[in-house]
Amino acid sequence: MELHLPATPRRFEMFIDGCSVSGPSSADIVRQSPAHGVPVSVYQSGTAREVDAAVAAARRAFDHGDWPRVGGAGRAAVLLRAATLIREHREELAIVETLESGKPITQSRGEVENAAGMWEYAAGVARVLHGDSFNNLDGGLFGIVVREPIGVVGIITPWNFPFFILAERLPFVLAAGCTAVLKPSEFTSGTTVMMAGLLKTAGLPDGVVNVVTGYGDPAGQAITEHRDVDMVSFTGSTAVGRSTLIASARNIKKVGLELGGKNPQLVFADADLDAAADGVLFGVCFNAGQCCVSGSRLLAERSIAGPLADRIVELARKVRVGDPLEENTQVGAIVNEKQMGRILGYIEQGQQAGARLLCGGARRPGTGLFVEPTVFSGVEEGMSIATDEIFGPVLCIQPFDTFEEGLALANRTQYGLSATVWTSNLDTAIRASREVKAGRVWVNTTITGGPEMPIGGFKQSGIGRETGLYGVDEYTEIKSVQIQLGGRQRWVRE
Ligand code: NDP
């Protein structure tokens, strides 16, 4: 099926207390497709006023509404209906996602499908959420540990996986019985607003989910500072993550952070090199490298580093970069001019520092923001391309000689989001998985998983975990209840 650009941009309102809400129309945000350079969406530019209204609605829904008081079965029913509605609107959601983000349409369809799976899984989690009991306490005490929803959760999401990252958080927030205020990226807000509409159709009570579109500052900032927000879940850059932590100190709100990464791909000499070359290339090119778990550092055992690099370069030249609306495209557009400038800036810094450019390295001429898969060898520790999150399809190759040296190199970074190990030796695979400091590890594959598996970062890559059974625990408070059985021993002696 041939897809076409929309004749006019689609307009998205905000969504507060079950209703579509406009912002000040003078300040509309017009989103251009980064692949085609034409306007595709118009969003409202929300301010602290709309954040106040959204938080008030979420607060009312939490303090006085049904949602936190409904049983797990009732919550699960809504989440399952949401999953069905996502599938029914799969194509529409995928097209909006591709037009706004620049990612290939086949990838968008996959992400929408996987998002539906997240909503289904979270429905199950709503029914297994439970506490604990202690029948072994001294002094005739019986102890119960209960989990309660934490309250109003602010969810601030980035532009790289707008619909999928939302699905890694929102259904778990709802499964826990919380209410939410969402602030999507100013570049890719469309599918988040659409999701709020689907949730209303699915039967979610008004006020439980609210969406304020607009800029990080003021809209995102107002959420992080708000005294009536009990928790903020932020996904994005480490710099804004740090400012979120500081802003949250105002009312000591709980903070969940998923931030950047500079993720190693360790290839040992005994690996299937053909499979590793393909996997390494996928790991750095997926979503045009604009991926927090992008495997952007290739650490290769010295004896195979040369042939592996040759194979990766040979494959890189075959990757189909281009129009994301075409079914065959594998790598779409970079999200905006700022990000493109950042990627090209790092490529220039790498060349100036003496790294060897093996392929790519340039922006494609013509309409759209496209950059070729880029591979550097001769990368030294301390070069900015070796240490900084570039967020583009740029691979840096560094050799190592021993297992210990490879792992030390992998761990010498401020980040700890993910790592990939390529080897045919079980012992090496398990030892490397144990020793690498990262929240997610892949062995002989990369960037895959399922709703059952938790995600999150070590070190400066984040705080907390999303998805899996851990993902719902994040959005609960734990309360311990001590019950005296058989009467309490008197304190005052008469
Ligand atoms: P940001 O961290 O600025 O954006 C992420 C989200 O935070 C967006 O919704 C943004 O809104 C919002 N935001 C921005 N400023 C504030 C604020 N003061 N308070 C609250 N929320 C705020 O990422 P960028 O878009 O600037 O990307 C820069 C770099 O960040 C990338 O090159 C990449 O290295 C990294 N990044 C990492 C991501 C990850 O998944 N770990 C995702 C995205 C980026 P708005 O878009 O409206 O400004």
Side-chain angles (χ1 to χ4, degrees):
M1 183 180 57
E2 203 182 327
L3 299 174
H4 300 284
L5 290 168
T8 52
R10 181 168 174 165
R11 229 187 138 73
F12 293 97
E13 309 287 309
M14 289 180 278
F15 190 83
I16 299 175
D17 209 7
C19 302
S20 291
V21 173
S22 300
S25 56
S26 55
D28 281 352
I29 297 171
V30 179
R31 175 61 176 152
Q32 307 247 348
S33 161
H36 309 95
V38 299
V40 288
S41 300
V42 178
Y43 322 121
Q44 311 292 303
S45 178
T47 64
R49 219 175 65 173
E50 284 77 32
V51 169
D52 278 344
V55 172
R59 190 80 260 166
R60 270 194 308 278
F62 186 77
D63 291 342
H64 309 294
D66 290 340
W67 189 251
R69 290 153 196 95
V70 153
R75 284 181 211 153
V78 173
L79 301 186
L80 286 174
R81 278 200 293 276
T84 303
L85 288 165
I86 289 171
R87 289 212 173 84
E88 283 171 18
H89 291 80
R90 187 181 85 143
E91 193 62 13
E92 189 190 357
L93 287 161
I95 290 173
V96 171
E97 198 80 329
T98 283
L99 290 175
E100 294 183 356
S101 70
K103 67 178 68 196
I105 186 69
T106 49
Q107 187 188 322
S108 291
R109 287 182 189 130
E111 285 171 19
V112 172
E113 180 59 35
N114 290 340
M118 282 286 174
W119 284 85
E120 278 165 352
Y121 177 81
V125 166
R127 300 200 70 168
V128 298
L129 186 59
H130 68 281
D132 213 341
S133 64
F134 288 84
N135 203 19
N136 58 347
L137 303 182
D138 283 341
L141 277 182
F142 180 58
I144 309 174
V145 180
V146 290
R147 286 192 178 273
E148 297 182 354
I150 196 162
V152 175
V153 181
I155 306 180
I156 299 172
T157 47
W159 41 257
N160 50 349
F161 297 92
F163 196 67
F164 189 68
I165 285 180
L166 184 67
E168 289 175 332
R169 285 140 185 83
L170 183 57
F172 295 87
V173 167
L174 296 177
C178 298
T179 62
V181 176
L182 319 180
K183 209 303 277 175
S185 163
E186 98 208 30
F187 301 104
T188 54
S189 304
T191 52
T192 301
V193 178
M194 289 164 78
M195 190 66 228
L198 296 182
L199 282 168
K200 188 173 169 90
T201 311
L204 191 73
D206 291 348
V208 176
V209 167
N210 308 274
V211 184
V212 178
T213 53
Y215 296 99
D217 191 8
Q221 186 75 24
I223 292 173
T224 59
E225 289 177 355
H226 210 291
R227 287 180 187 278
D228 279 337
V229 172
D230 301 295
M231 175 171 175
V232 168
S233 161
F234 171 83
T235 311
S237 62
T238 298
V240 180
R242 198 169 282 120
S243 73
T244 302
L245 268 181
I246 294 165
S248 66
R250 188 175 270 203
N251 65 331
I252 316 284
K253 57 173 71 67
K254 185 175 175 182
V255 178
L257 300 175
E258 197 190 322
L259 309 174
K262 188 73 181 175
N263 309 295
Q265 302 228 27
L266 279 150
V267 182
F268 290 91
D270 56 25
D272 174 340
L273 293 190
D274 213 39
D278 186 79
V280 166
L281 194 61
F282 168 73
V284 76
C285 289
F286 180 59
N287 212 44
Q290 303 167 116
C291 182
C292 54
V293 291
S294 177
S296 53
R297 282 194 296 151
L298 167 54
L299 312 180
E301 201 164 339
R302 195 176 301 275
S303 61
I304 49 95
L308 182 63
D310 292 345
R311 181 71 180 135
I312 289 171
V313 169
E314 188 189 334
L315 292 176
R317 298 209 163 102
K318 297 182 181 158
V319 172
R320 291 185 296 271
V321 181
D323 186 347
L325 289 175
E326 292 205 355
E327 300 279 332
N328 287 332
T329 295
Q330 292 174 293
V331 173
I334 300 302
V335 75
N336 55 35
E337 283 284 357
K338 182 176 155 210
Q339 187 62 26
M340 178 61 106
R342 185 183 156 97
I343 296 167
L344 296 178
Y346 273 112
I347 291 173
E348 201 182 318
Q349 283 174 38
Q351 286 174 291
Q352 277 174 5
R356 208 163 58 253
L357 184 67
L358 300 183
C359 67
R363 177 179 176 169
R364 271 203 185 168
T367 309
L369 304 173
F370 299 100
V371 63
E372 303 289 343
T374 299
V375 180
F376 276 109
S377 68
V379 177
E380 306 276 343
E381 270 193 89
M383 289 182 183
S384 62
I385 54 169
T387 56
D388 295 4
E389 182 180 52
I390 299 175
F391 236 52
V394 182
L395 184 68
C396 296
I397 307 179
Q398 290 174 267
F400 67 85
D401 289 303
T402 62
F403 177 91
E404 288 70 24
E405 196 194 321
L407 265 293
L409 198 52
N411 286 333
R412 253 196 317 271
T413 163
Q414 59 171 323
Y415 296 114
L417 201 55
S418 72
T420 304
V421 181
W422 300 90
T423 176
S424 59
N425 183 316
L426 183 63
D427 189 65
T428 305
I430 294 177
R431 280 170 58 219
S433 310
R434 272 186 175 175
E435 290 186 28
V436 75
K437 301 270 179 281
R440 256 191 280 185
V441 180
W442 291 287
V443 177
N444 293 332
T445 187
T446 198
I447 314 190
T448 183
E452 295 79 3
M453 302 298 282
I455 60 173
F458 284 27
K459 300 194 266 183
Q460 292 187 37
S461 288
I463 300 176
R465 291 295 178 271
E466 308 287 348
T467 69
L469 293 176
Y470 314 83
V472 73
D473 289 352
E474 276 296 295
Y475 300 105
T476 61
E477 286 278 25
I478 290 177
K479 182 183 277 176
S480 65
V481 181
Q482 285 76 203
I483 302 167
Q484 183 71 57
L485 302 177
R488 177 175 167 274
Q489 195 179 4
R490 293 287 182 271
W491 181 55
V492 179
R493 295 182 197 278
E494 290 184 282

